[in-house]
Every structure is written in structure tokens, then in C-alpha cells.
């Protein structure tokens, strides 16, 4: 019979976090203090998109994005305010930051030093997985090679200076959101880890005898979906593959250094706007997948809130998610037993199947030259877009059941969202104006000569093979801003636009409904004198392109000529593309909450360009009240996550074109 393990396990469960941050450093600090007082045992910082992509609040691309999906941090003053009164030497802080990870870590270290903390004792993680940004989340800035250099420099620096810090967190979470199967999620994450470890080894910055310490500080951040058994087996397979890779490829002999360490955010993608109360049981099942198996248990867990598909969760919603973890950890007997699945024939067979598939896909990527080459060729992106298209096909056909969305859709009125305006939190537009004013004040109070000297030193170091952390630290201490730090590196490294993967994917053969839409697209095009052209645009800094890519793929399969230029476009660039391509309809995808700023800017630009007759449709996380405002301003249709039928959306876009042209 299973025997209970030591009672101390109950007193030391995984690190409990909620992913949080919004509006301003001061407001986020108050939120963190409240969460810690409720029993949260670590911090997970969400930064806004300008911070993640290296822009200050006054940049053109930051319009509408400041403080929306996270907290804006423009300089060391903001970092001081963010952690005011919080003992950093007692915190396990996770920072979801990638392209600008070195900069945010420099700010964090500089503030810790001001507090008198021993930097070597700081614990936490910078996500810092740029490869998955090219594939899924879109907050990359620089080309792959210099991006890998930044990660390499951080790894080498932290091993000696911050030995308890995880300098990079290989993140398969967003790969699953982008369509990855369990096999792809493991294979592409481990391929990324190989790229990072090879780069650190080949840089010569870490002596071979200390390479085990490098491996020991590599952590992973994964996604747990609702397919409980499959997800649990995925984590066991992940651990097996990591152990064998680090032993065989890198010769790490110490089993503790080879340990697979991961944190998890359970699947936000699976949360539904329709019947959102169902999300609570989804979150619990997904949490069990990464906690029930002791041998594959997460080191840190953060849960989304039940209403994230509707908008920004309130503090009460985050508290509910924290309490879910606490009930599991402290009321149940989960932590009292050894692994419950050891010896299970079903589990061992499923794990072996996943391991075999992942090994084959890792080998395929290595044959291409590794993860970076597979990004640059568009191979991995195309595979993910294709997998997501297949996932959506199964949901639309009813082959995959989503309760409350494509089956069991009848419902009683939901008292939780009776007043939707109070069921989510909104960010005051004045936040952006205040951040811009604060930035101006900050710059006016700096030592300009020290700022200029630190930026010159950073520029010079970037042109050599010198480790860039010391120069970044001096920039932080001098009062340099996020936009200035990233701007210097943009000068030296250049910028990058990753392949979209759209051209490599297809929804496959058409069913009757898609065939009908194809005929309507063809006929409408003939009436207008040519093939119908749809521009799919991603305005602002929102890099979550999965939805836009799926619309582009389905539109092409429906017979549209599709113009899709990828992420991070200004309204002016979208308008210019609409003029140059002579499109019949513009579709805008916005998931960051900036729709009330960026969509009207596109509408105004189209009118100024004489394209009043080109209709605009919008898709994204748009509350009902905002959708009404957009329609009042001239948007023809607003689609939200509850509109899951993409072929139906294609039909409505044809309707929009016909209405706009009086057909």
C-alpha cells in the first residue's frame, strides 16, 4: 500500500503565484502586497507590452498599450515603486520578460542593491525564451543570433553572480497556445534548450567544470491543458527526456543538476467566454495534471482567473484562483503520498509514446541546424499553425466537445456576469497620460552626462563579444529608460520580422459549409470585378497572432486573396497596406485591450485616405460595451472568443463586403 511521506511536504508545497500587474508600478505594488497577505508565496510579474518590446510610454507604437496587459516599467524609479516595501531577498520572483529580460534583471538587481540585499541570495526567474516569441507570443525585438547572445550573456553572468536565479525559463506554454501537440511542445522546448546550452558552452564564458551549474539553473514554464491524463504523461515524458539529454549530450553527472524543474500556468487558452463559470472546474483539473504525480510535480503553479476570457481579472478573481491552490495543498491529502502512478501500465505506455514522438521531432529539428535555423526557415511556425488549424477544425466539427461553446449551450442567466462592467477590471486611459508625464519628469531629473556615457558604453560593448550585463547595470543605475536601452541595441543588432507560417498551413478539404462560402466569395468577387482581397492587420504591440493567423488561413481556404504582414504594425502602416493592395475589407485582431485606441485610428486613417467604403471588422477580447462603441464608430462586425466558427465568420465577412458595396 502507498505510504505517507514526511508531514513536512504539506508545509512546503509548490510556490503559489498569480500572474499580475497593471496600470502603474504603484498600483501593481499594492496588488502584490494584498496577494502576499492572502498567502501567496511568490510573485509573478506581468509587464505591459511596451516594456516587453523595448518602448517607452511616449512611443507611437505604445499608444493604447500602456499598463494594459501588465505594469509599465520604464526605468529604475519604476522598479523601485513596483517593489516598494517588499523584501526581495525573501521573494521568489518570476518575471515574464523575454527580449528585454537582461534590462529588467539589471533594474531588479540595482534595486536589490539599493535595499542592501546580497545579490547572490536573490531567487527567481526571468522567462527569457526568445525562440518561442518568434513562434507564438511575438514580443521579440532583435534577430535570432543577437537575441541568443543576450540569453547567453545572462546565463554566464548569473551562474557566478546570482547563482540562485534562473536566467532563462524555456517556455513551452505559448507553444501549446499556438497549436502544439504534446509531442511538439516537448520537442520544440527541448530544441530551444539545446540551442541555449550549446551557445553558452561554445561562448567559453563558463568553465567546463561548472557547466553542470548552468544546466541546474535552466528551468521550464509549461502549459497544462484539460486533457488530464495526457498532460500528466507529458510532464513525466518531459522529465525523462531532460534527464537523458543533460547526461548524454552535456555529461552532467550530478542527478540534482539534471533535475527537470518547471513552473506552470494552467491553460488560459482553454478558458471560455461562453458560460465562463465552467472555467473554474477546468482550472482545477488542469492544476491536478501538474500536481497529482509527485515524480512530475511542478515547482511553482500560477492559475488564471475564471473570467480572463472576458477581460482583466479583479483582485477578488485572483484571490479565488489562489484559494484553489491552497485548498488542494492544505486540505487534501495530495502531499502525503509518494507518486500515485508509478507502475501504471496505461501511464507508462502513454509516456513512452510521447517520448518516442518527441525524440523523432527533436532529431528532425537538429538535422535542420537546430531551433534557430528551424525558426528562420519557418518550419516550426508552419507546423504550429497547421496543428492549431487542425485543433480548430475538430472543435468546429464537434469532434472535440467544449462544454457551453459547441455543446450544452443552453444556460440560465449567470449572476457572476449580470453586470459585466463590474465583473472585470478596466484600466483608466489616464494611466497612459500619467506614464508619459512621469517619464518626462524622470528624464528632466537625470544626470544627462552619465546617461549618455552609459549608453555609449552599451553601444560599444554590443559591437564586441563582451558580456552585456555589466553595461546594462550601469545604464540601470544611471537612469536610462527601457526605450533608450533597447534603442541602442536596435541600432547595433537591427530588428526582425519572423515568418508568419500562414503560407505553410491549410484547413484541409472543405466541408459543405466552407464550399458554400467559397462559392459566395467567388461570385462576389466576379460582381466586383476581381478576386476578393482581405487585409488581416495586427495594430499595436499585441504579438498574440494565433487568431489572426487562423483567420488568414481560413480566409485563404475560402477563396479570399489574403494580405497578412505579421504583427506590430502602426495604424498608418495598416492603412498604407490597404491602399497599396486595394483591399475590399480590413480585419483587425486585438487581444491586448487597446482596441478603443488603435481601431479608431485605423478607421480615421482609412477615411483620410479616401477608403470610406472599405469596411472594417474586428476580432479579439472585446467586452460588449466596447463592441457597441466600435460599431457606433463604423466597425461593421466585432467577433469575440465565443464566435468560434471560423467558416461562419468568413460568411459574415462576405456579407459585410456585399453590404458595403450595395450588392
Amino acid at each position: 500500500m502507498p505510504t505517507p511521506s514526511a508531514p513536512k511536504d504539506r508545509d512546503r508545497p509548490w510556490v503559489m503565484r498569480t500572474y499580475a500587474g497593471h496600470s502603474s508600478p504603484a498600483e501593481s505594488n499594492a496588488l502584490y502586497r494584498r496577494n502576499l497577505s492572502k498567502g501567496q508565496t511568490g510573485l509573478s510579474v506581468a509587464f505591459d507590452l511596451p516594456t516587453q518590446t523595448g518602448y517607452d510610454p511616449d512611443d507611437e507604437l505604445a499608444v493604447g498599450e500602456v499598463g494594459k496587459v501588465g505594469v509599465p516599467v520604464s526605468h529604475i524609479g519604476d522598479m523601485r515603486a513596483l517593489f516598494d516595501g517588499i523584501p526581495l531577498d525573501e521573494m521568489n520572483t518570476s518575471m515574464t520578460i523575454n527580449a528585454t529580460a537582461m534590462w529588467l534583471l539589471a533594474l531588479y538587481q540595482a534595486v536589490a542593491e539599493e535595499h542592501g540585499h546580497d545579490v547572490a541570495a536573490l531567487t527567481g526567474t526571468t522567462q527569457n525564451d526568445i525562440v518561442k516569441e518568434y513562434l507564438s507570443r511575438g514580443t521579440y525585438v532583435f534577430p535570432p543570433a543577437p537575441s541568443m547572445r543576450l540569453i547567453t550573456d545572462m546565463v554566464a553572468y548569473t551562474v557566478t553572480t546570482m547563482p540562485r536565479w534562473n536566467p532563462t525559463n524555456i517556455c513551452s506554454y505559448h507553444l501549446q497556445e499556438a497549436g502544439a501537440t504534446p509531442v511538439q511542445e516537448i520537442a520544440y522546448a527541448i530544441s530551444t534548450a539545446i540551442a541555449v546550452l550549446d551557445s553558452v558552452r561554445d561562448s567559453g564564458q563558463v568553465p567546463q567544470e561548472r557547466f553542470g551549474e548552468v544546466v541546474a539553473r535552466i528551468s521550464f514554464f509549461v502549459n497544462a491543458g484539460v486533457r488530464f491524463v495526457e498532460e500528466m504523461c507529458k510532464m513525466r515524458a518531459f522529465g525523462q527526456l531532460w534527464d537523458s539529454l543533460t547526461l548524454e549530450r552535456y555529461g552532467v553527472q550530478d542527478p540534482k543538476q539534471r533535475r527537470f524543474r518547471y513552473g506552470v500556468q494552467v491553460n488560459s487558452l482553454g478558458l471560455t467566454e461562453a458560460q465562463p463559470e465552467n472555467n473554474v472546474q477546468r482550472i482545477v483539473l488542469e492544476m491536478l495534471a501538474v500536481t497529482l504525480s509527485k515524480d512530475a510535480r511542478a515547482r511553482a503553479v500560477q492559475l488564471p482567473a475564471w473570467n480572463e476570457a472576458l477581460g482583466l481579472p479583479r483582485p477578488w478573481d485572483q484571490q479565488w484562483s489562489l484559494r484553489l491552490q491552497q485548498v488542494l495543498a492544505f486540505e487534501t491529502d495530495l502531499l502525503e503520498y509518494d507518486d500515485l502512478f508509478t507502475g501504471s501500465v496505461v501511464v507508462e505506455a502513454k509516456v513512452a509514446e510521447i517520448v518516442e514522438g518527441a525524440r523523432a521531432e527533436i532529431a528532425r529539428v537538429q538535422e535542420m541546424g537546430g531551433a534557430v535555423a528551424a525558426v528562420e526557415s519557418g518550419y516550426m511556425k508552419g507546423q504550429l499553425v497547421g496543428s492549431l488549424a487542425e485543433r480548430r477544425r475538430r472543435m468546429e466539427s464537434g469532434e472535440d466537445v467544449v462544454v457551453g461553446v459547441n455543446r450544452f449551450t443552453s444556460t440560465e442567466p449567470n449572476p457572476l456576469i449580470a453586470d459585466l462592467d463590474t465583473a472585470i477590471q478596466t484600466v483608466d486611459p489616464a494611466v497612459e497620460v500619467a506614464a508619459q508625464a512621469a517619464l518626462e519628469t524622470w528624464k528632466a531629473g537625470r544626470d544627462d552626462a552619465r546617461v549618455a556615457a552609459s549608453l555609449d558604453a552599451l553601444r560599444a560593448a554590443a559591437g564586441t563579444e563582451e558580456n552585456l550585463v555589466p553595461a546594462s547595470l550601469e545604464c540601470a543605475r544611471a537612469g536610462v529608460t527601457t526605450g533608450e536601452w533597447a534603442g541602442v541595441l536596435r541600432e547595433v543588432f537591427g530588428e526582425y520580422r519572423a515568418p508568419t507560417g500562414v503560407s505553410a498551413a491549410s484547413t484541409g478539404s472543405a466541408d459543405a459549409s466552407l464550399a458554400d462560402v467559397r462559392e459566395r466569395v467567388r461570385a462576389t468577387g466576379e460582381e466586383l470585378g476581381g478576386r476578393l482581397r482581405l487585409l488581416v492587420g495586427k495594430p499595436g504591440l499585441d504579438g498574440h497572432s494565433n487568431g489572426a493567423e487562423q483567420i488568414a488561413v481560413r480566409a485563404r481556404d475560402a477563396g479570399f486573396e489574403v494580405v497578412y504582414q505579421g504583427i506590430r504594425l502602426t495604424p498608418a502602416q495598416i492603412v498604407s497596406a490597404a491602399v497599396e493592395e486595394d483591399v475590399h475589407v480590413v480585419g483587425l485582431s486585438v487581444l491586448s485591450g487597446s482596441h478603443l485606441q488603435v481601431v479608431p485610428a485605423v478607421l480615421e486613417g482609412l477615411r483620410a485616405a479616401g477608403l470610406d467604403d472599405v469596411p472594417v471588422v474586428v476580432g479579439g477580447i472585446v467586452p460588449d460595451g466596447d463592441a457597441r462603441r466600435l460599431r457606433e464608430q463604423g466597425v461593421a462586425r466585432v467577433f469575440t472568443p465565443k464566435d468560434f466558427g471560423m467558416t461562419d465568420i468568413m460568411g459574415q465577412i462576405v456579407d459585410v463586403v456585399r453590404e458595403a458595396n450595395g450588392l
Side-chain angles (χ1 to χ4, degrees), residues 434-482:
Q436 292 168 347
L439 179 66
E440 186 175 348
T441 300
W442 175 263
K443 287 183 175 180
R446 300 183 303 183
D447 179 341
D448 290 341
R450 186 181 180 188
V451 168
S454 66
L455 289 172
D456 287 343
L458 176 66
R459 185 179 292 106
T464 70
E465 295 184 357
E466 181 181 336
N467 190 298
L468 293 178
V469 175
S472 296
L473 275 166
E474 175 52 29
C475 286
R477 295 166 183 142
V480 164
T481 69
T482 297

Side-chain angles (χ1 to χ4, degrees), residues 490-539:
R490 281 184 169 96
E491 291 175 23
V492 180
F493 297 152
E495 291 195 72
Y496 185 71
R497 295 197 71 80
T500 67
V502 168
S503 61
S506 171
T507 53
S509 59
D511 58 16
S513 60
L514 183 56
D516 289 343
V517 172
R518 280 179 178 171
E519 176 55 28
R520 294 189 64 216
V521 169
R522 185 201 61 77
T524 302
E526 280 192 2
E527 291 181 68
L528 294 176
R531 190 176 173 193
L532 287 190
R533 290 179 297 283
L534 164 66
L535 170 63
V536 178
K538 288 285 297 176

Side-chain angles (χ1 to χ4, degrees), residues 142-195:
F142 314 112
S147 294
M148 192 61 70
R149 175 195 172 175
L150 292 174
I151 296 171
T152 299
D153 285 356
M154 282 184 65
V155 173
Y157 175 82
T158 55
V159 163
T160 55
T161 307
M162 303 173 69
R164 299 180 63 191
W165 192 270
N166 300 323
T168 187
N169 191 226
I170 307 301
C171 181
S172 70
Y173 175 89
H174 300 97
L175 300 181
Q176 187 181 118
E177 283 199 337
T181 64
V183 163
Q184 289 171 329
E185 185 179 345
I186 292 174
Y188 298 161
I190 287 187
S191 295
T192 298
I194 290 171

